Amino acid sequence: MKLFDMIIMCLRNLWRRKGRTLLTVIGVIIGCCAIIVMISLGQGMNAAMDNMLASWGDLNAITIYGNNRGGNVVIGVESVMGGGSGSDDRPKLDEEALEMMRNLDHVETVFPKISVDSSYVTITAGKNGRYRASWMEIYGVDFSALKKMGYVPEQGDYPSGDDTLHTIVLGNEAAYQFRDTKKKGQNSYTYKQQMPDGTWSEPFFDPMTESIQIYINNTKKPNDDGTYQSGGRAYEFKMTTAAVLERDNDWQTVYSLMIDMDFAKEIINSYNRLNNVKDTKEPEFSQIKLWVDDINNVDAVETILSDLGYNTSSMASQRKSMQGELGVVQMVLGCLAAISLLVAAIGITNTMIMSIYERTREIGIMKVLGCFISNIRVVFLMEAGMIGLLGGAIGTVISYIISAVMNTLGSDTFANMFGIYTDGSSPISIIPIWLVLLALAFSTIIGLISGFYPANRAVKISALEAIKNE
């Protein structure tokens, strides 16, 4: 018997018993819909989680901290300000470590920083230093990597050319950190603070047109009698603002003041000389940030760095732990949906067994006419598989409709209904193409498995007994 003839026979037999076939297909449709919708909810939770983590920071980034983590740190001075616990056993973040990280597989961009404690410098602006920064995050960076980092200038442009040593790049709200030393009453404003007249606050000066001065503090300025007092200033540097950055997910684009890496080292060394700090060492990087080519490679790169003893963190590591929790939720949802498909499989088996009882004479005639046993088995398996495939196809279409309704009516309502997480902006249900193919294949395989026992039962029927049976 040719394959085409068997397909026509299967379709004719299913249509002849269309009522029973329809009820069996409905069972498969319900099971297939349950699996697709439940797994699509898990995909929606994954997407919401990724969006949430991406809002906290770059998922492809790994941050490596120096021996003193947390707070602003000046490396190479006697007193180290800022929180965090250090460990001398950790490898140094020096030029050698930087070159090693650049050569790691899958690493695209390396962005080192030297953090300069703001208590060691005085930052002013305006005539006679009228405006003074009360607090500022100061970083020495590689200006050439700002564009690769994704930092976008809102005003000005990336520093370039030969004269970048005394150039600065400001965060979006850095100018609000300056207070007016000549003004009585409220002498500082926060970002977008509403004024009494209903307008919004503005910085006291335009950082793009007003020069900014950096003084290195002299904590050991001698008095006339030979004693020392704190608060003296020396080494003035007149700075030019190259750009003010747009705000993004990186908090450093908000309050920071970025200077050239070599200038940051010059500040540290000048402070040490000015304050007679002894036993100084070459300044190390306080932090190095890596960008990996693919989020799937972040874990491997971070593992290498951790094994070398570096203190690392990444959004991807948090994502991994959260995915484990979501995986449990998805498994529970999938198991609940699989129960529906199991019920549908029992229905297919029942349908095919009843079909055998009704077609015993037909089976006997097929054997007498010389049909191979394998052909008879294939016919019944094919009928069961068609029921599964048809139910899977219709179930997939209905699943897309259900998914669209859930996403249209509002994710919050259905999130509360199912008790799942959503960030409110991502669709609650996402049906990728692999899920469609998996559902079709799974429903077809369920049909074939359900038809295996009835098919074997059919081929064992005696031809003579089958012909006698009516």
Side-chain angles (χ1 to χ4, degrees):
M1 186 180 297
K2 296 180 180 179
L3 178 61
F4 180 76
D5 295 330
M6 288 190 288
I7 293 175
I8 295 299
M9 180 182 295
C10 291
L11 293 174
R12 188 186 304 119
N13 289 331
L14 292 175
W15 180 254
R16 192 167 54 189
R17 299 168 179 83
K18 51 183 173 291
R20 185 187 303 160
T21 300
L22 178 62
L23 293 175
T24 308
V25 169
I26 289 175
V28 180
I29 291 173
I30 294 173
C32 185
C33 277
I35 286 182
I36 293 179
V37 171
M38 291 299 182
I39 295 180
S40 74
L41 291 175
Q43 293 297 308
M45 285 189 287
N46 269 326
M49 178 195 68
D50 286 345
N51 287 342
M52 177 188 68
L53 291 176
S55 67
W56 294 350
D58 199 320
L59 292 177
N60 288 44
I62 302 173
T63 303
I64 303 98
Y65 299 95
N67 288 338
N68 294 278
R69 177 181 175 180
N72 295 334
V73 179
V74 175
I75 307 297
V77 299
E78 282 183 336
S79 174
V80 178
M81 304 296 292
S85 58
S87 173
D88 293 335
D89 296 333
R90 294 189 183 278
K92 296 180 179 179
L93 288 187
D94 52 16
E95 292 291 343
E96 183 178 349
L98 183 65
E99 189 62 26
M100 179 274 294
M101 294 175 190
R102 282 197 177 107
N103 294 326
L104 287 176
D105 291 338
H106 307 297
V107 173
E108 288 189 332
T109 305
V110 179
F111 189 72
K113 294 192 301 184
I114 290 181
S115 183
V116 180
D117 196 309
S118 58
S119 65
Y120 296 108
V121 296
T122 299
I123 305 174
T124 65
K127 187 177 180 180
N128 298 323
R130 173 173 179 171
Y131 309 110
R132 180 177 299 180
S134 54
W135 175 84
M136 189 77 72
E137 293 278 1
I138 307 171
Y139 297 106
V141 301
D142 179 6
F143 283 147
S144 64
L146 288 179
K147 188 173 184 178
K148 294 180 181 179
M149 286 271 295
Y151 292 160
V152 179
E154 184 177 89
Q155 301 179 58
D157 201 354
Y158 301 105
S160 60
D162 299 329
D163 189 21
T164 58
L165 188 64
H166 295 158
T167 299
I168 61 175
V169 173
L170 290 177
N172 193 265
E173 298 180 24
Y176 285 89
Q177 303 305 307
F178 288 82
R179 57 186 174 84
D180 189 346
T181 60
K182 302 285 182 69
K183 185 178 181 181
K184 297 181 180 180
Q186 186 176 8
N187 60 1
S188 65
Y189 300 114
T190 57
Y191 178 71
K192 294 297 184 183
Q193 178 180 342
Q194 190 167 16
M195 307 301 288
D197 60 359
T199 60
W200 300 101
S201 62
E202 295 289 343
F204 290 116
F205 66 97
D206 183 359
M208 295 301 299
T209 58
E210 194 79 52
S211 64
I212 294 176
Q213 297 82 38
I214 295 180
Y215 300 89
I216 300 177
N217 290 342
N218 180 4
T219 61
K220 296 183 178 180
K221 182 180 179 181
N223 294 322
D224 295 336
D225 58 2
T227 59
Y228 288 89
Q229 64 180 6
S230 61
R233 299 184 300 178
Y235 295 156
E236 175 187 355
F237 300 97
K238 191 173 183 180
M239 311 298 292
T240 302
T241 304
V244 175
L245 299 175
E246 286 186 0
R247 298 166 60 94
D248 62 12
N249 297 329
D250 190 343
W251 61 270
Q252 294 168 14
T253 63
V254 183
Y255 300 114
S256 66
L257 182 150
M258 298 184 186
I259 57 179
D260 181 79
M261 181 75 71
D262 292 332
F263 182 52
K265 294 179 181 179
E266 181 181 339
I267 287 178
I268 295 172
N269 293 329
S270 297
Y271 176 88
N272 291 339
R273 291 193 303 269
L274 189 63
N275 294 280
N276 300 321
V277 177
K278 299 179 180 179
D279 299 326
T280 59
K281 300 178 181 179
E282 180 67 21
E284 299 174 20
F285 302 117
S286 55
Q287 188 183 102
I288 296 178
K289 202 166 186 178
L290 308 181
W291 268 260
V292 182
D293 56 3
D294 190 276
I295 188 174
N296 297 318
N297 297 323
V298 171
D299 186 57
V301 175
E302 189 170 10
T303 300
I304 292 174
L305 295 171
S306 298
D307 291 343
L308 292 173
Y310 292 103
N311 188 3
T312 67
S313 72
S314 68
M315 288 294 119
S317 59
Q318 298 185 35
R319 177 177 181 262
K320 186 177 180 181
S321 62
M322 294 177 68
Q323 276 185 323
E325 297 175 3
L326 289 179
V328 174
V329 175
Q330 284 184 286
M331 184 171 64
V332 172
L333 294 176
C335 289
L336 292 175
I339 295 175
S340 301
L341 203 55
L342 176 62
V343 174
I346 296 173
I348 295 175
T349 303
N350 179 67
T351 298
M352 298 309 299
I353 290 176
M354 292 300 298
S355 178
I356 290 171
Y357 286 128
E358 294 176 355
R359 295 160 59 188
T360 303
R361 184 178 179 85
E362 178 184 330
I363 294 171
I365 293 174
M366 291 172 66
K367 286 188 174 183
V368 170
L369 292 176
C371 288
F372 293 110
I373 297 297
S374 60
N375 287 342
I376 298 175
R377 180 182 287 110
V378 168
V379 167
F380 282 90
L381 287 174
M382 194 175 290
E383 289 182 18
M386 284 184 176
I387 292 175
L389 178 61
L390 182 61
I394 299 176
T396 299
V397 174
I398 296 176
S399 297
Y400 270 108
I401 296 174
I402 294 174
S403 178
V405 170
M406 294 172 68
N407 293 331
T408 301
L409 293 183
S411 58
D412 290 338
T413 302
F414 289 97
N416 295 330
M417 182 185 303
F418 288 100
I420 62 177
Y421 170 79
T422 175
D423 63 351
S425 60
S426 303
I428 190 174
S429 174
I430 299 176
I431 303 178
I433 187 63
W434 63 262
L435 180 56
V436 173
L437 299 176
L438 179 64
L440 291 174
F442 190 57
S443 59
T444 303
I445 292 173
I446 287 294
L448 293 173
I449 293 175
S450 302
F452 187 76
Y453 171 74
N456 280 343
R457 187 185 179 105
V459 298
K460 292 178 181 179
I461 296 176
S462 169
L464 293 178
E465 293 294 329
I467 293 175
K468 291 179 183 178
N469 184 60
E470 184 57 48

